[in-house]
Amino acid sequence: MSDHGMIIIGAGETGARAAAELRSLGWTGRITLIGEEAHAPYERPPLSKQMLQEEDQPSPAAILRAEQATEQRIELRKACKAVAIDTRNHRITLNDGSSLTYERLLLATGAQPRKLASPLPGSDTPLAWPSIHYLRSYGDAVSLREQLQPGKRIVVIGGGFIGLEVAASARARGCEVTVIEAGPRILMRGVPEAIASLVDARHQSAGVQFKLGSAISGMSSSGKEYLIRFSNGEALACDTIVAGIGAIPETALASESGLAVENGIRVDERLATSDPDIFAAGDCCSFPHPLYGGRRIRLEAWRNAQDQGTHAAGSMLGAAAAYAAVPWFWSDQYDLTLQVAGLPDAGTTTVHRSLGAKGDLFFHLTAENRLVAASGIGGPGIAKDIRLAEMIIGSQAVLDSKALAQPDLKLKALLPS
Amino acid sequence: MAYEGWIAACEEEDIEEEDVIRFDYEERTFAIYRSAKNKYFATDGFCTHEKFHLADGLVMGNHIECPKHNGRFDYTTGEAKRAPVCQALKTYPLKQESGHIWIRIN
Ligand SMILES: Cc1cc2nc3c(=O)[nH]c(=O)nc-3n(C[C@H](O)[C@H](O)[C@H](O)COP(=O)(O)OP(=O)(O)OC[C@H]3O[C@@H](n4cnc5c(N)ncnc54)[C@H](O)[C@@H]3O)c2cc1C
Ligand code: FES
């Protein structure tokens, strides 16, 4: 082996985890972690929550501080973008024109917010839009929080998790908030309708207005305020617009270097790309999930980013294991916590279990009564049961769906010992 | 209720087997555990990584798993067992007396 070492492109959750794991697994050669952002790796989940709510502007919540990187001999290159990969010569080029060679390469490039189409579908005038806020980076959160002043009218486009967390944070800051959603309900992706309606009700009681099933036909600015027009003729004036309409995996570097891309950088169960010396992990990759019949999925979730970063480090060092962690996601809005383990859409029936004041659980089962997902909403007390459900999902046990509805049946008892 | 530094925390049967409950005293919060072998233990209530209540986490054998980032501690010794937690958890002496559980927190 040469001394070129391990290179990780993308210094986010996944990249930072992978770098640290390479060291703890005993790799003694070089580790270079390349990140386009000016900050050392930091946590994104607070960006739509505490970052927007706190009175004084918080600093980024570090995942790997510069001193820790030095201590672990991880060469952290901030504000540095990888622009090309020469797979034949195991070489990458950086935006300053320099190049580096690698033994193994990990792509942990994450995702970027989807932008509103301009011109809007069905219109031929480009959006005359000075600034629509999107939320992915610390800088995005800083510029959005400046707008969240008491009494300001904020429009959130998109009733997904990030949009709803922004709505809750904006209410906490005393803004007037309207959420516009093109679909018939909020949280169309990823949670059952019963949970979506509990979330909807919580937002309404906090004073958030919803415009569901609303197609935007145009937008304009008077210099003082923005006007959003809808295809049914209605219009809405506001001071700030934030769009949370999904994310697009960052695959440009991979596809330009000839790596397979399929809703993200295509990897196998070890997280190897179509080039055996290049791996991809986190929000940027799609992978086959063994618990779901090898179905190819892409996740945008914090724990997956960590777990895949860790797993990819092992694969880069030659481990053969398949990545099979049960997907897990959480969201916090007001005093509500929502957690989803598994893939609810893989189920055909849903069983409800009430935990009383602690919250509600929904179990998603296949026709054969195998548990494929569990979602919970309520206080922090739901965490224990979702964690147990996650372990049951991983065990692929066949369950009695009637018993699941009974709160006195302990989930722990269903775990194969 | 406090007696010579011991504080009455809860009853033995308040905690299910292999489980944990939260106990708040003055400004502080603790976690009290009952192991599968019916032994009782007490630790600080918050995870040492961030301020999340360990009592919302899962007890597995001698380990408590934090509900937020799945860090783990051995609740019998306080030792940090799995990343992201690296700092040990403070443990407290505990005694049982005719079904009552007392802990000493100083
Ligand atoms: C506002 C917000 C709130 C969230 N809240 C939750 C939550 O509550 N629960 C949850 O489970 N998940 C949440 N997530 C999702 C979670 O944060 C992501 O899944 C996670 O950050 C993905 O990590 P990653 O490292 O794969 O990608 P990222 O964190 O996006 O990191 C990728 C990094 O790579 C860099 N990069 C890309 N291309 C290059 C290049 N060519 N050269 C150099 N650097 C490059 C990017 O600049 C970026 O810094 C949230 C995300 C956001 C944005
Ligand atoms: S708060 Fe406990 S592991 Fe992070």
Side-chain angles (χ1 to χ4, degrees), chain A residues 121-410:
Chain A
S123 143
D124 45 354
T125 11
L127 287 180
W129 207 253
S131 68
I132 291 179
H133 290 263
Y134 296 94
L135 186 52
R136 182 81 193 176
S137 67
Y138 178 71
D140 294 341
V142 169
S143 66
L144 176 57
R145 57 170 280 127
E146 281 163 11
Q147 304 302 315
L148 301 184
Q149 305 299 337
K152 281 278 168 76
R153 298 162 300 169
I154 312 293
V155 162
V156 176
I157 301 178
F161 289 107
I162 292 189
L164 293 172
E165 288 186 359
V166 169
S169 298
R171 281 303 293 151
R173 294 285 297 277
C175 303
E176 285 174 32
V177 182
T178 306
V179 174
I180 299 174
E181 166 58 51
R185 66 159 166 99
I186 56 167
L187 298 176
M188 277 299 278
R189 284 194 314 151
V191 305
E193 184 165 8
I195 288 197
S197 58
L198 288 167
V199 175
D200 186 304
R202 183 68 188 83
H203 277 277
Q204 299 220 32
S205 74
V208 171
Q209 308 278 326
F210 284 101
K211 283 185 85 63
L212 302 179
S214 298
I216 296 172
S217 60
M219 304 187 195
S220 56
S221 161
S222 69
K224 279 212 184 91
E225 61 176 18
Y226 301 133
L227 195 70
I228 301 180
R229 289 184 303 280
F230 297 94
S231 42
N232 66 2
E234 287 176 25
L236 181 66
C238 67
D239 302 302
T240 297
I241 299 177
V242 196
I245 52 172
I248 298 174
E250 187 58 69
T251 57
L253 202 51
S255 53
E256 285 158 17
S257 3
L259 300 175
V261 169
E262 181 184 346
N263 175 31
I265 305 169
R266 188 188 159 96
V267 294
D268 64 14
E269 65 284 352
R270 289 175 61 233
L271 309 179
T273 65
S274 50
D275 179 317
D277 291 326
I278 306 181
F279 298 78
D283 283 15
C284 69
C285 81
S286 73
F287 63 102
H289 204 305
L291 283 176
Y292 299 93
R295 172 174 154 196
R296 181 162 291 277
I297 58 172
R298 187 175 71 80
L299 299 173
E300 288 166 11
W302 177 87
R303 203 207 283 162
N304 177 66
Q306 295 200 329
D307 290 351
Q308 284 196 334
T310 308
H311 195 91
S315 300
M316 289 167 89
L317 296 175
Y323 179 78
V326 176
W328 181 85
F329 178 90
W330 96 96
S331 172
D332 294 329
Q333 296 162 38
Y334 314 101
D335 48 357
L336 274 187
T337 275
L338 191 156
Q339 293 196 2
V340 181
L343 301 178
D345 70 356
T348 52
T349 48
T350 299
V351 174
H352 172 235
R353 171 191 288 217
S354 167
L355 299 179
K358 277 205 283 184
D360 292 273
L361 295 180
F362 298 86
F363 298 101
H364 311 279
L365 300 134
T366 60
E368 301 77 43
N369 278 339
R370 198 163 62 79
L371 188 66
V372 284
S375 22
I377 185 159
I382 61 167
K384 245 182 240 191
D385 283 331
I386 293 290
R387 181 70 178 103
L388 284 165
E390 185 193 322
M391 292 157 83
I392 299 169
I393 296 166
S395 78
Q396 302 193 282
V398 170
L399 308 172
D400 172 355
S401 66
K402 281 207 197 68
L404 273 180
Q406 306 304 320
D408 46 333
L409 167 93
K410 294 214 174 37

Side-chain angles (χ1 to χ4, degrees), chain B residues 3 7-8 11 30 40 50 52 64-65 70-73 83 86-87 89 91 95 105:
Chain B
Y3 177 71
I7 294 156
E11 305 300 307
F30 303 89
Y40 292 80
E50 282 177 36
F52 284 96
I64 172 73
E65 184 184 75
N70 307 109
R72 284 188 196 168
F73 302 92
C86 42
Q87 196 189 330
L89 192 61
T91 58
K95 67 177 178 183
I105 60 173

Side-chain angles (χ1 to χ4, degrees), chain B residues 47 49-50 52 66 68-71 84-85:
Chain B
C47 182
H49 180 234
E50 282 177 36
F52 284 96
C66 174
K68 202 65 196 184
H69 310 121
N70 307 109
V85 302

Side-chain angles (χ1 to χ4, degrees), chain A residues 9-14 34-37 44-45 47-49 80-82 108-111 135-136 162 165 250 253 282-283 300-302 305 329-330:
Chain A
I9 300 179
E13 193 75 57
T14 306
I34 297 166
E36 197 179 346
E37 294 184 66
R44 286 181 213 283
L47 299 181
S48 45
K49 310 175 182 81
C80 176
K81 183 175 182 172
T109 49
L135 186 52
R136 182 81 193 176
I162 292 189
E165 288 186 359
E250 187 58 69
L253 202 51
D283 283 15
E300 288 166 11
W302 177 87
F329 178 90
W330 96 96

